Amino acid sequence: MINFNGTILSKDKFNLPYNNRAFSYGDSIFDTSKLIDGKIEFLEAHYFRLMASMRMLRMEIPMFFTLEYFEKEIFKITESLNLEKKARIKFTVFRNIGGLYTPNNNKIDFIVEATNLEIAVKEHYVVDLFKDYYVSSDLISTIKTNNRIVNVLASIYASENGLDNCLLLNEKKNVVEATNGNVFLIKGNEVHTPPLSEGCIKGIIRNKVIEKIQNNGMFRLVEKSISPFELLKADAMFITNSIIGIQSISNYRKKEFNTYMVDMVQENA
């Protein structure tokens, strides 16, 4: 079952036209969130990020597309699938069919999907760099468009090489993020993370971790460019995203990290 423009449809009866703009041009954005105990975590943050992304892509936001509507449409699909207590949510918005590179209009359609939520935080988590292709250090890279081919290829590389994840680089050869989340380094009492100007996704959990570290006082948050060389000098490293929360990295190449320091950050964030 999916929610298409507010109507619940069975997947076997729903087909996107061949000239759908998400398929043809990647003219689409998405947001991933989780439902825990019947509540969408950080609902407002997810909604406002989606709205900001739609504005950046010049999509027409309907007047009825309020926070309450956003929440209602998510609950509509979770209830139809009996996933009212726990679910992984994907909310995809794409421009209407019509036109080539230049669309005929900026009106939108949307699909809401819900699946069983599986959270598997690993104790042993190995990463390496993906250097075949780069993320652009520009503003459009900070939003979750459907053009995630670098992430796809990096994930395939990780699978082929027995890794849990890969770290992506931008054209300046700086570390940007992981394939599925933002990256943080711990050095002494400082927590470093790339600024949005490096091209990293404007992650919901990234923002929450930054806010709490800044307000706590135990660690100092520093947004700075991170070279691959700095990974080997870090005491600890972790990844954040809306589904898993915080995932410690145990190994980068021959470097072993102190995962207990990530626990300290998590407790104080």
Side-chain angles (χ1 to χ4, degrees):
M1 306 290 283
I2 64 164
N3 179 345
F4 176 59
N5 288 341
T7 301
I8 302 299
L9 301 170
S10 60
K11 289 186 177 180
D12 61 338
K13 293 183 178 179
F14 174 71
N15 292 296
L16 282 177
Y18 73 94
N19 55 346
N20 170 269
R21 292 190 64 85
F23 175 76
S24 298
Y25 302 107
D27 191 2
S28 178
I29 55 175
F30 69 96
D31 180 88
T32 306
S33 58
K34 67 180 176 182
L35 181 76
I36 296 289
D37 295 328
K39 182 180 179 181
I40 304 163
E41 284 201 342
F42 309 120
L43 171 66
E44 290 190 7
H46 283 284
Y47 170 75
F48 286 117
R49 181 176 68 171
L50 188 66
M51 294 302 103
S53 298
M54 291 169 67
R55 291 189 188 97
M56 278 185 62
L57 296 190
R58 303 295 194 268
M59 292 178 173
E60 184 177 317
I61 303 174
M63 291 297 293
F64 60 79
F65 216 112
T66 62
L67 175 62
E68 293 73 22
Y69 181 80
F70 178 70
E71 182 180 34
K72 182 187 74 173
E73 294 306 319
I74 290 174
F75 283 137
K76 191 181 289 185
I77 186 62
T78 56
E79 289 168 5
S80 70
L81 292 169
N82 296 316
L83 295 173
E84 299 99 324
K85 292 294 183 181
K86 187 172 68 172
R88 178 191 181 108
I89 311 298
K90 185 177 181 183
F91 202 116
T92 304
V93 176
F94 45 94
R95 214 180 311 262
N96 278 182
I97 290 170
L100 299 175
Y101 284 140
T102 304
N104 287 347
N105 64 75
N106 292 312
K107 296 183 184 299
I108 60 148
D109 292 315
F110 68 84
I111 293 173
V112 192
E113 304 167 80
T115 54
N116 187 46
L117 179 65
E118 296 181 2
I119 303 175
V121 177
K122 296 184 177 181
E123 186 174 335
H124 187 66
Y125 199 87
V126 183
V127 304
D128 205 339
L129 298 176
F130 180 68
K131 299 185 287 185
D132 291 356
Y133 303 100
Y134 303 115
V135 174
S136 297
S137 58
D138 53 38
L139 193 58
I140 203 164
S141 293
T142 69
I143 65 177
K144 301 186 80 170
T145 69
N146 278 34
N147 184 0
R148 314 309 299 169
I149 194 64
V150 175
N151 304 65
V152 170
L153 293 174
S155 296
I156 293 171
Y157 177 88
S159 178
E160 291 176 342
N161 289 277
L163 304 168
D164 294 293
N165 210 330
C166 278
L167 304 180
L168 308 182
L169 305 174
N170 62 21
E171 78 282 1
K172 296 178 286 188
K173 309 295 176 66
N174 290 328
V175 176
V176 178
E177 59 195 0
T179 61
N180 64 343
N182 296 103
V183 64
F184 290 78
L185 308 183
I186 305 175
K187 295 178 68 176
N189 70 335
E190 293 187 343
V191 179
H192 297 178
T193 194
L196 296 180
S197 58
E198 289 291 288
C200 62
I201 287 291
K202 192 175 183 180
I204 301 298
I205 304 302
R206 174 188 184 273
N207 289 345
K208 298 300 178 182
V209 168
I210 288 174
E211 288 173 8
K212 291 187 176 181
I213 290 174
Q214 289 174 331
N215 293 332
N216 182 272
M218 183 173 181
F219 290 91
R220 177 172 172 261
L221 192 285
V222 181
E223 290 188 72
K224 64 185 292 291
S225 299
I226 297 174
S227 71
F229 179 71
E230 292 179 68
L231 303 180
L232 297 172
K233 299 191 293 182
D235 299 314
M237 184 157 55
F238 62 94
I239 294 166
T240 63
N241 67 39
S242 291
I243 300 300
I244 208 164
I246 292 178
Q247 169 66 62
S248 298
I249 294 173
S250 61
N251 298 82
Y252 165 68
R253 298 185 175 177
K254 295 182 179 181
K255 173 76 175 185
E256 289 191 20
F257 294 108
N258 296 319
T259 56
Y260 75 89
M261 294 187 73
V262 179
D263 295 335
M264 289 174 61
V265 170
Q266 194 161 10
E267 288 170 5
N268 290 277

